[in-house]
Amino acid sequence: MYTPAITGTGVFTPPETITNDELVKAFNAYVDLYNAENAEAIAAGEVEAKEYSSSEFIFKASGIEQRYVMEKDGILDPTRMYPHFRQRSDDEPGIMTEIALKACKTALDQAGIGGEDIDLVICAASNMERAYPAVAIEIQKELGAGGFAFDMNVACSSATFGIQAAADMIRAGSVRRAIVVNPEITSGHLEWRDRDCHFIFGDVATATVLEREEDAKGDHWIVRSTRCATQFSNNIRNNNGFLRRNRPDGMKDRRDMQFMQNGRKVFKEVVPMVSAHIQQHMADTGVVAGDLRRMWLHQANKAMNDFIGRKVLGRDPEAGEQPNILQDYANTSSAGSIIAFSKHSEDMQKGDIGLICSFGAGYSVGSVIVERA
Ligand code: CO8
């Protein structure tokens, strides 16, 4: 048995930002168009008028101030409300591979190794741009990696589930060096025309290199323990899938073909589930709240993280103990906790213990207890 270690992380941040004010301005222009187009049906009570969004609500309800996206013009065009991506030929890397490689490069540089040293690539994200061949295998080719590669999808928990899969294989000796990469183009499957959720997501890619501890070339994190759990819920759902065209109205512009959630229920049900999961994982690993120097939590909602932090630590978290990045990035699905870890872990000292935790659709929750070495 080998000890798995995280030896590098990388974040690719897209070139464009959308502030809450920009987003709300475009959304409200769309509402005006929609209500004008449907004026008769609205007056007859056949169609519901849409309501304006507000920057104040967004910040107060979520803590989000802006989001990064791959392409903003299409999203902010009130006659369109989703990004423009060019059609790529089958002979060039897809857009997920392109952003994944940028995050991989930073993570590999930090680990002091090259793509050719990797023998497992896991592309773990909340959506894949095609069914097959696996995006991970394209990334493997572009990295010049050996071994094997596969895609996995556990929505917002994909990164920690991917880390558990890679860590277990390193522990068992079936792979030597792995990279788990999370290219999240959430802008492609968010419903930007829905006031309840149009502000939630942003685009990003993160990557995590895992190796045997004995192979680590510099500062690294021992993976002390991982734990994953799932429990079925329809409260976060997307019905798009390969059977779409076969079903009645399948090809219509249907609301359920994009991200849908009952946000309030998610909040109420996921907070206790995650708090209990983390507490049990810590108890079973012999880690008490006083041992925990930092928590890098999934980045969906600031109030949610505050609740979880208070429950796990048994007190209000001090500044920096539970860093949030959602004010800048919004919810980036699986990548959020890895951005927080990557950007807010350098100052930790040898022997310090921290916990990465992601949670979301499924429901799903994954936690990784790490120790600075
Ligand atoms: N502007 C102004 N008012 C608004 C807006 C808006 N944009 N939206 C809603 N309101 C109004 C509502 O109409 C309501 O009014 P009233 O009280 O009169 O009925 C009031 O504001 C309150 O609405 P809510 O109850 O919905 O507001 P909440 O306080 O619950 O906040 C949140 C909404 C922020 C969505 C909150 O519920 C939340 O964060 N919940 C948890 C969400 C979460 O963690 N989800 C995880 C999803 S991510 C995941 O699993 C990955 C999925 C795959 C990725 C998909 C990528 C696209």
Side-chain angles (χ1 to χ4, degrees), residues 52-54 57 61 126 155-156 186 189-190 195-196 198-201 236 259 261 263-264 266-267 300-301 304 331 333 360-361:
Y52 284 153
S53 183
S54 99
F57 170 84
S126 56
C156 286
T186 63
H189 53 118
L190 174 58
R195 171 180 182 256
D196 285 343
H198 76 115
F199 54 89
I200 292 181
F201 290 100
I236 313 169
F259 169 85
Q261 77 166 356
R264 182 133 298 186
V266 172
F267 195 112
N301 182 297
M304 230 170 170
N331 182 342
S333 195

PDB file of all heavy atoms in Angstrom, residues 52-54 57 61 126 155-156 186 189-190 195-196 198-201 236 259 261 263-264 266-267 300-301 304 331 333 360-361, ligand 1:
ATOM      1  N   TYR A  52     -38.679  41.228 -12.656  1.00  0.00           N
ATOM      2  CA  TYR A  52     -37.292  41.685 -12.698  1.00  0.00           C
ATOM      3  C   TYR A  52     -36.447  40.954 -11.662  1.00  0.00           C
ATOM      4  O   TYR A  52     -36.931  40.574 -10.599  1.00  0.00           O
ATOM      5  CB  TYR A  52     -37.208  43.184 -12.404  1.00  0.00           C
ATOM      6  CG  TYR A  52     -37.640  44.081 -13.547  1.00  0.00           C
ATOM      7  CD1 TYR A  52     -38.148  45.352 -13.287  1.00  0.00           C
ATOM      8  CD2 TYR A  52     -37.503  43.680 -14.866  1.00  0.00           C
ATOM      9  CE1 TYR A  52     -38.529  46.202 -14.311  1.00  0.00           C
ATOM     10  CE2 TYR A  52     -37.888  44.522 -15.906  1.00  0.00           C
ATOM     11  CZ  TYR A  52     -38.402  45.778 -15.629  1.00  0.00           C
ATOM     12  OH  TYR A  52     -38.771  46.600 -16.640  1.00  0.00           O
ATOM     13  N   SER A  53     -35.161  40.846 -11.979  1.00  0.00           N
ATOM     14  CA  SER A  53     -34.168  40.375 -11.011  1.00  0.00           C
ATOM     15  C   SER A  53     -33.561  41.586 -10.319  1.00  0.00           C
ATOM     16  O   SER A  53     -33.825  42.728 -10.703  1.00  0.00           O
ATOM     17  CB  SER A  53     -33.086  39.586 -11.755  1.00  0.00           C
ATOM     18  OG  SER A  53     -32.153  39.058 -10.856  1.00  0.00           O
ATOM     19  N   SER A  54     -32.735  41.349  -9.298  1.00  0.00           N
ATOM     20  CA  SER A  54     -32.089  42.489  -8.644  1.00  0.00           C
ATOM     21  C   SER A  54     -30.723  42.089  -8.075  1.00  0.00           C
ATOM     22  O   SER A  54     -30.569  41.002  -7.500  1.00  0.00           O
ATOM     23  CB  SER A  54     -32.989  43.069  -7.543  1.00  0.00           C
ATOM     24  OG  SER A  54     -32.608  42.593  -6.284  1.00  0.00           O
ATOM     25  N   PHE A  57     -30.744  41.431  -4.291  1.00  0.00           N
ATOM     26  CA  PHE A  57     -31.216  40.093  -3.925  1.00  0.00           C
ATOM     27  C   PHE A  57     -30.094  39.075  -4.125  1.00  0.00           C
ATOM     28  O   PHE A  57     -29.843  38.229  -3.258  1.00  0.00           O
ATOM     29  CB  PHE A  57     -32.444  39.677  -4.760  1.00  0.00           C
ATOM     30  CG  PHE A  57     -32.786  38.219  -4.565  1.00  0.00           C
ATOM     31  CD1 PHE A  57     -33.559  37.810  -3.487  1.00  0.00           C
ATOM     32  CD2 PHE A  57     -32.278  37.252  -5.428  1.00  0.00           C
ATOM     33  CE1 PHE A  57     -33.834  36.459  -3.273  1.00  0.00           C
ATOM     34  CE2 PHE A  57     -32.539  35.898  -5.221  1.00  0.00           C
ATOM     35  CZ  PHE A  57     -33.327  35.510  -4.145  1.00  0.00           C
ATOM     36  N   ALA A  61     -28.810  36.943  -1.060  1.00  0.00           N
ATOM     37  CA  ALA A  61     -29.227  35.534  -0.981  1.00  0.00           C
ATOM     38  C   ALA A  61     -28.067  34.563  -1.167  1.00  0.00           C
ATOM     39  O   ALA A  61     -28.121  33.433  -0.690  1.00  0.00           O
ATOM     40  CB  ALA A  61     -30.306  35.245  -2.018  1.00  0.00           C
ATOM     41  N   SER A 126     -19.623  18.336 -14.175  1.00  0.00           N
ATOM     42  CA  SER A 126     -21.072  18.164 -14.081  1.00  0.00           C
ATOM     43  C   SER A 126     -21.751  17.993 -15.445  1.00  0.00           C
ATOM     44  O   SER A 126     -22.953  17.751 -15.506  1.00  0.00           O
ATOM     45  CB  SER A 126     -21.703  19.331 -13.330  1.00  0.00           C
ATOM     46  OG  SER A 126     -21.362  20.543 -13.937  1.00  0.00           O
ATOM     47  N   ALA A 155     -21.984  15.687 -10.658  1.00  0.00           N
ATOM     48  CA  ALA A 155     -22.373  17.094 -10.527  1.00  0.00           C
ATOM     49  C   ALA A 155     -21.345  17.853  -9.676  1.00  0.00           C
ATOM     50  O   ALA A 155     -20.141  17.712  -9.870  1.00  0.00           O
ATOM     51  CB  ALA A 155     -23.795  17.208  -9.993  1.00  0.00           C
ATOM     52  N   CYS A 156     -21.828  18.614  -8.708  1.00  0.00           N
ATOM     53  CA  CYS A 156     -20.922  19.471  -7.921  1.00  0.00           C
ATOM     54  C   CYS A 156     -19.896  18.689  -7.121  1.00  0.00           C
ATOM     55  O   CYS A 156     -18.911  19.265  -6.661  1.00  0.00           O
ATOM     56  CB  CYS A 156     -21.724  20.350  -6.967  1.00  0.00           C
ATOM     57  SG  CYS A 156     -22.563  21.663  -7.821  1.00  0.00           S
ATOM     58  N   THR A 186     -20.316  25.860 -17.060  1.00  0.00           N
ATOM     59  CA  THR A 186     -21.689  25.876 -16.550  1.00  0.00           C
ATOM     60  C   THR A 186     -22.561  26.841 -17.348  1.00  0.00           C
ATOM     61  O   THR A 186     -23.778  26.672 -17.398  1.00  0.00           O
ATOM     62  CB  THR A 186     -21.723  26.321 -15.075  1.00  0.00           C
ATOM     63  OG1 THR A 186     -21.244  27.658 -14.998  1.00  0.00           O
ATOM     64  CG2 THR A 186     -20.883  25.436 -14.184  1.00  0.00           C
ATOM     65  N   HIS A 189     -25.084  25.287 -19.729  1.00  0.00           N
ATOM     66  CA  HIS A 189     -26.298  24.576 -19.308  1.00  0.00           C
ATOM     67  C   HIS A 189     -27.055  25.253 -18.171  1.00  0.00           C
ATOM     68  O   HIS A 189     -27.950  24.660 -17.570  1.00  0.00           O
ATOM     69  CB  HIS A 189     -26.025  23.091 -19.008  1.00  0.00           C
ATOM     70  CG  HIS A 189     -24.924  22.794 -18.037  1.00  0.00           C
ATOM     71  ND1 HIS A 189     -25.138  22.151 -16.860  1.00  0.00           N
ATOM     72  CD2 HIS A 189     -23.608  23.039 -18.092  1.00  0.00           C
ATOM     73  CE1 HIS A 189     -23.981  22.029 -16.220  1.00  0.00           C
ATOM     74  NE2 HIS A 189     -23.034  22.559 -16.956  1.00  0.00           N
ATOM     75  N   LEU A 190     -26.684  26.495 -17.897  1.00  0.00           N
ATOM     76  CA  LEU A 190     -27.494  27.289 -16.962  1.00  0.00           C
ATOM     77  C   LEU A 190     -28.660  27.915 -17.736  1.00  0.00           C
ATOM     78  O   LEU A 190     -28.500  28.287 -18.897  1.00  0.00           O
ATOM     79  CB  LEU A 190     -26.619  28.394 -16.344  1.00  0.00           C
ATOM     80  CG  LEU A 190     -27.333  29.412 -15.448  1.00  0.00           C
ATOM     81  CD1 LEU A 190     -28.034  28.735 -14.279  1.00  0.00           C
ATOM     82  CD2 LEU A 190     -26.338  30.430 -14.912  1.00  0.00           C
ATOM     83  N   ARG A 195     -35.141  33.747 -13.429  1.00  0.00           N
ATOM     84  CA  ARG A 195     -34.778  34.675 -12.349  1.00  0.00           C
ATOM     85  C   ARG A 195     -34.301  33.969 -11.087  1.00  0.00           C
ATOM     86  O   ARG A 195     -33.447  34.465 -10.349  1.00  0.00           O
ATOM     87  CB  ARG A 195     -36.035  35.492 -12.069  1.00  0.00           C
ATOM     88  CG  ARG A 195     -36.053  36.391 -10.870  1.00  0.00           C
ATOM     89  CD  ARG A 195     -37.432  37.032 -10.887  1.00  0.00           C
ATOM     90  NE  ARG A 195     -37.643  37.989  -9.825  1.00  0.00           N
ATOM     91  CZ  ARG A 195     -38.363  37.740  -8.745  1.00  0.00           C
ATOM     92  NH1 ARG A 195     -38.927  36.558  -8.564  1.00  0.00           N
ATOM     93  NH2 ARG A 195     -38.548  38.688  -7.855  1.00  0.00           N
ATOM     94  N   ASP A 196     -34.867  32.768 -10.826  1.00  0.00           N
ATOM     95  CA  ASP A 196     -34.506  32.054  -9.595  1.00  0.00           C
ATOM     96  C   ASP A 196     -33.074  31.530  -9.600  1.00  0.00           C
ATOM     97  O   ASP A 196     -32.514  31.243  -8.541  1.00  0.00           O
ATOM     98  CB  ASP A 196     -35.440  30.851  -9.376  1.00  0.00           C
ATOM     99  CG  ASP A 196     -36.808  31.303  -8.887  1.00  0.00           C
ATOM    100  OD1 ASP A 196     -36.919  32.451  -8.419  1.00  0.00           O
ATOM    101  OD2 ASP A 196     -37.765  30.506  -8.998  1.00  0.00           O
ATOM    102  N   HIS A 198     -30.571  32.441 -12.445  1.00  0.00           N
ATOM    103  CA  HIS A 198     -29.718  32.957 -13.531  1.00  0.00           C
ATOM    104  C   HIS A 198     -28.375  33.501 -13.039  1.00  0.00           C
ATOM    105  O   HIS A 198     -27.438  33.644 -13.797  1.00  0.00           O
ATOM    106  CB  HIS A 198     -30.464  34.038 -14.329  1.00  0.00           C
ATOM    107  CG  HIS A 198     -30.555  35.370 -13.645  1.00  0.00           C
ATOM    108  ND1 HIS A 198     -29.928  36.485 -14.155  1.00  0.00           N
ATOM    109  CD2 HIS A 198     -31.178  35.764 -12.508  1.00  0.00           C
ATOM    110  CE1 HIS A 198     -30.179  37.514 -13.355  1.00  0.00           C
ATOM    111  NE2 HIS A 198     -30.933  37.107 -12.353  1.00  0.00           N
ATOM    112  N   PHE A 199     -28.285  33.749 -11.733  1.00  0.00           N
ATOM    113  CA  PHE A 199     -27.082  34.371 -11.160  1.00  0.00           C
ATOM    114  C   PHE A 199     -26.107  33.374 -10.559  1.00  0.00           C
ATOM    115  O   PHE A 199     -25.039  33.749 -10.084  1.00  0.00           O
ATOM    116  CB  PHE A 199     -27.513  35.349 -10.053  1.00  0.00           C
ATOM    117  CG  PHE A 199     -28.393  34.703  -8.995  1.00  0.00           C
ATOM    118  CD1 PHE A 199     -27.816  34.107  -7.887  1.00  0.00           C
ATOM    119  CD2 PHE A 199     -29.786  34.676  -9.132  1.00  0.00           C
ATOM    120  CE1 PHE A 199     -28.609  33.501  -6.920  1.00  0.00           C
ATOM    121  CE2 PHE A 199     -30.592  34.073  -8.162  1.00  0.00           C
ATOM    122  CZ  PHE A 199     -30.000  33.485  -7.058  1.00  0.00           C
ATOM    123  N   ILE A 200     -26.487  32.093 -10.541  1.00  0.00           N
ATOM    124  CA  ILE A 200     -25.783  31.154  -9.667  1.00  0.00           C
ATOM    125  C   ILE A 200     -24.385  30.750 -10.155  1.00  0.00           C
ATOM    126  O   ILE A 200     -23.462  30.658  -9.363  1.00  0.00           O
ATOM    127  CB  ILE A 200     -26.643  29.887  -9.453  1.00  0.00           C
ATOM    128  CG1 ILE A 200     -27.891  30.253  -8.627  1.00  0.00           C
ATOM    129  CG2 ILE A 200     -25.861  28.807  -8.742  1.00  0.00           C
ATOM    130  CD1 ILE A 200     -28.795  29.083  -8.336  1.00  0.00           C
ATOM    131  N   PHE A 201     -24.233  30.502 -11.470  1.00  0.00           N
ATOM    132  CA  PHE A 201     -23.028  29.774 -11.917  1.00  0.00           C
ATOM    133  C   PHE A 201     -22.016  30.608 -12.689  1.00  0.00           C
ATOM    134  O   PHE A 201     -22.342  31.650 -13.257  1.00  0.00           O
ATOM    135  CB  PHE A 201     -23.448  28.582 -12.785  1.00  0.00           C
ATOM    136  CG  PHE A 201     -24.128  27.500 -12.010  1.00  0.00           C
ATOM    137  CD1 PHE A 201     -25.506  27.384 -12.026  1.00  0.00           C
ATOM    138  CD2 PHE A 201     -23.397  26.600 -11.256  1.00  0.00           C
ATOM    139  CE1 PHE A 201     -26.155  26.390 -11.304  1.00  0.00           C
ATOM    140  CE2 PHE A 201     -24.030  25.605 -10.523  1.00  0.00           C
ATOM    141  CZ  PHE A 201     -25.406  25.500 -10.551  1.00  0.00           C
ATOM    142  N   ILE A 236     -32.380  19.016  -7.520  1.00  0.00           N
ATOM    143  CA  ILE A 236     -31.478  19.617  -8.520  1.00  0.00           C
ATOM    144  C   ILE A 236     -31.479  18.632  -9.681  1.00  0.00           C
ATOM    145  O   ILE A 236     -31.123  17.465  -9.509  1.00  0.00           O
ATOM    146  CB  ILE A 236     -30.033  19.784  -8.001  1.00  0.00           C
ATOM    147  CG1 ILE A 236     -30.009  20.413  -6.618  1.00  0.00           C
ATOM    148  CG2 ILE A 236     -29.215  20.630  -8.990  1.00  0.00           C
ATOM    149  CD1 ILE A 236     -28.645  20.354  -5.939  1.00  0.00           C
ATOM    150  N   PHE A 259     -30.329  23.413 -16.314  1.00  0.00           N
ATOM    151  CA  PHE A 259     -30.281  23.272 -14.853  1.00  0.00           C
ATOM    152  C   PHE A 259     -31.592  23.730 -14.194  1.00  0.00           C
ATOM    153  O   PHE A 259     -32.102  24.807 -14.493  1.00  0.00           O
ATOM    154  CB  PHE A 259     -29.118  24.117 -14.320  1.00  0.00           C
ATOM    155  CG  PHE A 259     -29.096  24.286 -12.834  1.00  0.00           C
ATOM    156  CD1 PHE A 259     -28.505  23.339 -12.021  1.00  0.00           C
ATOM    157  CD2 PHE A 259     -29.666  25.411 -12.240  1.00  0.00           C
ATOM    158  CE1 PHE A 259     -28.490  23.493 -10.642  1.00  0.00           C
ATOM    159  CE2 PHE A 259     -29.651  25.578 -10.867  1.00  0.00           C
ATOM    160  CZ  PHE A 259     -29.055  24.608 -10.069  1.00  0.00           C
ATOM    161  N   GLN A 261     -33.538  23.767 -10.177  1.00  0.00           N
ATOM    162  CA  GLN A 261     -33.442  23.400  -8.766  1.00  0.00           C
ATOM    163  C   GLN A 261     -34.549  24.039  -7.949  1.00  0.00           C
ATOM    164  O   GLN A 261     -35.108  25.069  -8.325  1.00  0.00           O
ATOM    165  CB  GLN A 261     -32.080  23.786  -8.182  1.00  0.00           C
ATOM    166  CG  GLN A 261     -31.930  25.260  -7.882  1.00  0.00           C
ATOM    167  CD  GLN A 261     -30.718  25.577  -6.993  1.00  0.00           C
ATOM    168  OE1 GLN A 261     -30.018  24.691  -6.531  1.00  0.00           O
ATOM    169  NE2 GLN A 261     -30.475  26.846  -6.759  1.00  0.00           N
ATOM    170  N   GLY A 263     -34.138  25.702  -4.909  1.00  0.00           N
ATOM    171  CA  GLY A 263     -33.004  26.191  -4.123  1.00  0.00           C
ATOM    172  C   GLY A 263     -33.221  26.170  -2.632  1.00  0.00           C
ATOM    173  O   GLY A 263     -32.340  25.786  -1.856  1.00  0.00           O
ATOM    174  N   ARG A 264     -34.407  26.582  -2.230  1.00  0.00           N
ATOM    175  CA  ARG A 264     -34.677  26.641  -0.789  1.00  0.00           C
ATOM    176  C   ARG A 264     -34.631  25.254  -0.163  1.00  0.00           C
ATOM    177  O   ARG A 264     -34.060  25.048   0.897  1.00  0.00           O
ATOM    178  CB  ARG A 264     -36.043  27.289  -0.562  1.00  0.00           C
ATOM    179  CG  ARG A 264     -36.350  27.422   0.880  1.00  0.00           C
ATOM    180  CD  ARG A 264     -36.860  28.735   1.311  1.00  0.00           C
ATOM    181  NE  ARG A 264     -35.995  29.860   1.135  1.00  0.00           N
ATOM    182  CZ  ARG A 264     -36.294  31.075   1.582  1.00  0.00           C
ATOM    183  NH1 ARG A 264     -37.422  31.269   2.193  1.00  0.00           N
ATOM    184  NH2 ARG A 264     -35.482  32.070   1.402  1.00  0.00           N
ATOM    185  N   VAL A 266     -33.056  22.648  -1.358  1.00  0.00           N
ATOM    186  CA  VAL A 266     -31.660  22.181  -1.407  1.00  0.00           C
ATOM    187  C   VAL A 266     -30.927  22.719  -0.186  1.00  0.00           C
ATOM    188  O   VAL A 266     -30.234  21.982   0.521  1.00  0.00           O
ATOM    189  CB  VAL A 266     -30.968  22.661  -2.706  1.00  0.00           C
ATOM    190  CG1 VAL A 266     -29.478  22.343  -2.671  1.00  0.00           C
ATOM    191  CG2 VAL A 266     -31.610  22.017  -3.932  1.00  0.00           C
ATOM    192  N   PHE A 267     -31.089  24.003   0.042  1.00  0.00           N
ATOM    193  CA  PHE A 267     -30.423  24.643   1.186  1.00  0.00           C
ATOM    194  C   PHE A 267     -30.759  23.897   2.478  1.00  0.00           C
ATOM    195  O   PHE A 267     -29.879  23.495   3.243  1.00  0.00           O
ATOM    196  CB  PHE A 267     -30.894  26.099   1.261  1.00  0.00           C
ATOM    197  CG  PHE A 267     -30.046  26.980   2.136  1.00  0.00           C
ATOM    198  CD1 PHE A 267     -29.281  27.997   1.577  1.00  0.00           C
ATOM    199  CD2 PHE A 267     -30.017  26.812   3.503  1.00  0.00           C
ATOM    200  CE1 PHE A 267     -28.491  28.817   2.372  1.00  0.00           C
ATOM    201  CE2 PHE A 267     -29.242  27.629   4.309  1.00  0.00           C
ATOM    202  CZ  PHE A 267     -28.476  28.635   3.742  1.00  0.00           C
ATOM    203  N   ALA A 300     -21.290  27.309  -3.192  1.00  0.00           N
ATOM    204  CA  ALA A 300     -22.614  27.550  -3.777  1.00  0.00           C
ATOM    205  C   ALA A 300     -23.257  28.776  -3.144  1.00  0.00           C
ATOM    206  O   ALA A 300     -23.885  29.579  -3.835  1.00  0.00           O
ATOM    207  CB  ALA A 300     -23.521  26.341  -3.594  1.00  0.00           C
ATOM    208  N   ASN A 301     -23.097  28.902  -1.859  1.00  0.00           N
ATOM    209  CA  ASN A 301     -23.845  29.930  -1.146  1.00  0.00           C
ATOM    210  C   ASN A 301     -23.122  30.255   0.160  1.00  0.00           C
ATOM    211  O   ASN A 301     -22.803  29.355   0.931  1.00  0.00           O
ATOM    212  CB  ASN A 301     -25.261  29.391  -0.858  1.00  0.00           C
ATOM    213  CG  ASN A 301     -26.130  30.407  -0.173  1.00  0.00           C
ATOM    214  OD1 ASN A 301     -25.851  30.829   0.933  1.00  0.00           O
ATOM    215  ND2 ASN A 301     -27.210  30.790  -0.828  1.00  0.00           N
ATOM    216  N   MET A 304     -24.831  29.111   3.410  1.00  0.00           N
ATOM    217  CA  MET A 304     -24.734  27.653   3.544  1.00  0.00           C
ATOM    218  C   MET A 304     -23.391  27.273   4.175  1.00  0.00           C
ATOM    219  O   MET A 304     -23.330  26.486   5.118  1.00  0.00           O
ATOM    220  CB  MET A 304     -24.772  27.067   2.128  1.00  0.00           C
ATOM    221  CG  MET A 304     -25.731  25.969   1.900  1.00  0.00           C
ATOM    222  SD  MET A 304     -25.783  25.672   0.116  1.00  0.00           S
ATOM    223  CE  MET A 304     -26.709  24.185   0.138  1.00  0.00           C
ATOM    224  N   ASN A 331     -20.886  29.961  -8.254  1.00  0.00           N
ATOM    225  CA  ASN A 331     -20.822  28.505  -8.103  1.00  0.00           C
ATOM    226  C   ASN A 331     -20.211  27.943  -9.389  1.00  0.00           C
ATOM    227  O   ASN A 331     -20.755  28.147 -10.473  1.00  0.00           O
ATOM    228  CB  ASN A 331     -22.249  27.980  -7.875  1.00  0.00           C
ATOM    229  CG  ASN A 331     -22.304  26.476  -7.659  1.00  0.00           C
ATOM    230  OD1 ASN A 331     -21.362  25.756  -7.986  1.00  0.00           O
ATOM    231  ND2 ASN A 331     -23.423  26.004  -7.127  1.00  0.00           N
ATOM    232  N   SER A 333     -19.673  24.718  -9.809  1.00  0.00           N
ATOM    233  CA  SER A 333     -19.960  23.292  -9.673  1.00  0.00           C
ATOM    234  C   SER A 333     -18.774  22.568  -9.035  1.00  0.00           C
ATOM    235  O   SER A 333     -18.283  23.013  -8.011  1.00  0.00           O
ATOM    236  CB  SER A 333     -20.356  22.704 -11.019  1.00  0.00           C
ATOM    237  OG  SER A 333     -20.953  21.448 -10.823  1.00  0.00           O
ATOM    238  N   GLY A 360     -23.675  18.652  -3.663  1.00  0.00           N
ATOM    239  CA  GLY A 360     -24.622  19.191  -4.647  1.00  0.00           C
ATOM    240  C   GLY A 360     -25.574  18.148  -5.183  1.00  0.00           C
ATOM    241  O   GLY A 360     -26.038  17.273  -4.431  1.00  0.00           O
ATOM    242  N   ALA A 361     -25.854  18.230  -6.488  1.00  0.00           N
ATOM    243  CA  ALA A 361     -26.887  17.402  -7.106  1.00  0.00           C
ATOM    244  C   ALA A 361     -26.621  15.933  -6.839  1.00  0.00           C
ATOM    245  O   ALA A 361     -25.490  15.487  -6.690  1.00  0.00           O
ATOM    246  CB  ALA A 361     -26.960  17.677  -8.602  1.00  0.00           C
TER     247      ALA A 361
HETATM  248  N1  CO8 B   1     -34.147  38.790  -7.975  1.00  0.00           N
HETATM  249  C1  CO8 B   1     -35.052  39.267  -7.082  1.00  0.00           C
HETATM  250  N2  CO8 B   1     -35.867  38.472  -6.348  1.00  0.00           N
HETATM  251  C2  CO8 B   1     -35.752  37.135  -6.515  1.00  0.00           C
HETATM  252  C3  CO8 B   1     -34.833  36.568  -7.443  1.00  0.00           C
HETATM  253  C4  CO8 B   1     -34.011  37.449  -8.185  1.00  0.00           C
HETATM  254  N3  CO8 B   1     -33.101  36.993  -9.069  1.00  0.00           N
HETATM  255  N4  CO8 B   1     -34.956  35.231  -7.398  1.00  0.00           N
HETATM  256  C5  CO8 B   1     -35.903  34.942  -6.504  1.00  0.00           C
HETATM  257  N5  CO8 B   1     -36.391  36.087  -5.973  1.00  0.00           N
HETATM  258  C6  CO8 B   1     -37.465  36.234  -4.961  1.00  0.00           C
HETATM  259  C7  CO8 B   1     -38.388  35.051  -4.948  1.00  0.00           C
HETATM  260  O1  CO8 B   1     -39.417  35.211  -5.879  1.00  0.00           O
HETATM  261  C8  CO8 B   1     -38.906  35.073  -3.513  1.00  0.00           C
HETATM  262  O2  CO8 B   1     -39.912  36.054  -3.409  1.00  0.00           O
HETATM  263  P1  CO8 B   1     -41.157  35.816  -2.389  1.00  0.00           P
HETATM  264  O3  CO8 B   1     -40.543  35.775  -1.018  1.00  0.00           O
HETATM  265  O4  CO8 B   1     -41.996  37.018  -2.645  1.00  0.00           O
HETATM  266  O5  CO8 B   1     -41.771  34.526  -2.784  1.00  0.00           O
HETATM  267  C9  CO8 B   1     -37.699  35.580  -2.721  1.00  0.00           C
HETATM  268  O6  CO8 B   1     -36.868  36.262  -3.661  1.00  0.00           O
HETATM  269  C10 CO8 B   1     -36.931  34.466  -2.062  1.00  0.00           C
HETATM  270  O7  CO8 B   1     -36.646  33.436  -3.042  1.00  0.00           O
HETATM  271  P2  CO8 B   1     -35.925  32.066  -2.667  1.00  0.00           P
HETATM  272  O8  CO8 B   1     -36.636  31.423  -1.528  1.00  0.00           O
HETATM  273  O9  CO8 B   1     -35.730  31.251  -3.901  1.00  0.00           O
HETATM  274  O10 CO8 B   1     -34.494  32.632  -2.184  1.00  0.00           O
HETATM  275  P3  CO8 B   1     -33.446  31.981  -1.261  1.00  0.00           P
HETATM  276  O11 CO8 B   1     -33.217  32.853  -0.099  1.00  0.00           O
HETATM  277  O12 CO8 B   1     -33.683  30.528  -1.012  1.00  0.00           O
HETATM  278  O13 CO8 B   1     -32.109  32.068  -2.179  1.00  0.00           O
HETATM  279  C11 CO8 B   1     -30.755  30.617  -3.548  1.00  0.00           C
HETATM  280  C12 CO8 B   1     -32.053  31.418  -3.426  1.00  0.00           C
HETATM  281  C13 CO8 B   1     -29.594  31.598  -3.555  1.00  0.00           C
HETATM  282  C14 CO8 B   1     -30.783  29.825  -4.846  1.00  0.00           C
HETATM  283  C15 CO8 B   1     -30.620  29.676  -2.319  1.00  0.00           C
HETATM  284  O14 CO8 B   1     -31.792  28.964  -2.112  1.00  0.00           O
HETATM  285  C16 CO8 B   1     -29.486  28.656  -2.450  1.00  0.00           C
HETATM  286  O15 CO8 B   1     -28.332  29.010  -2.614  1.00  0.00           O
HETATM  287  N6  CO8 B   1     -29.831  27.362  -2.333  1.00  0.00           N
HETATM  288  C17 CO8 B   1     -28.856  26.298  -2.440  1.00  0.00           C
HETATM  289  C18 CO8 B   1     -28.517  26.099  -3.857  1.00  0.00           C
HETATM  290  C19 CO8 B   1     -27.465  25.056  -4.059  1.00  0.00           C
HETATM  291  O16 CO8 B   1     -26.565  24.845  -3.290  1.00  0.00           O
HETATM  292  N7  CO8 B   1     -27.575  24.377  -5.158  1.00  0.00           N
HETATM  293  C20 CO8 B   1     -26.619  23.453  -5.569  1.00  0.00           C
HETATM  294  C21 CO8 B   1     -26.722  23.427  -7.027  1.00  0.00           C
HETATM  295  S1  CO8 B   1     -25.264  23.169  -7.798  1.00  0.00           S
HETATM  296  C22 CO8 B   1     -25.055  21.514  -8.215  1.00  0.00           C
HETATM  297  O17 CO8 B   1     -25.410  20.608  -7.557  1.00  0.00           O
HETATM  298  C23 CO8 B   1     -24.399  21.281  -9.503  1.00  0.00           C
HETATM  299  C24 CO8 B   1     -25.416  21.007 -10.529  1.00  0.00           C
HETATM  300  C25 CO8 B   1     -24.770  20.904 -11.860  1.00  0.00           C
HETATM  301  C26 CO8 B   1     -24.221  22.206 -12.365  1.00  0.00           C
HETATM  302  C27 CO8 B   1     -25.174  22.899 -13.249  1.00  0.00           C
HETATM  303  C28 CO8 B   1     -24.527  24.095 -13.923  1.00  0.00           C
HETATM  304  C29 CO8 B   1     -25.509  24.947 -14.702  1.00  0.00           C
END
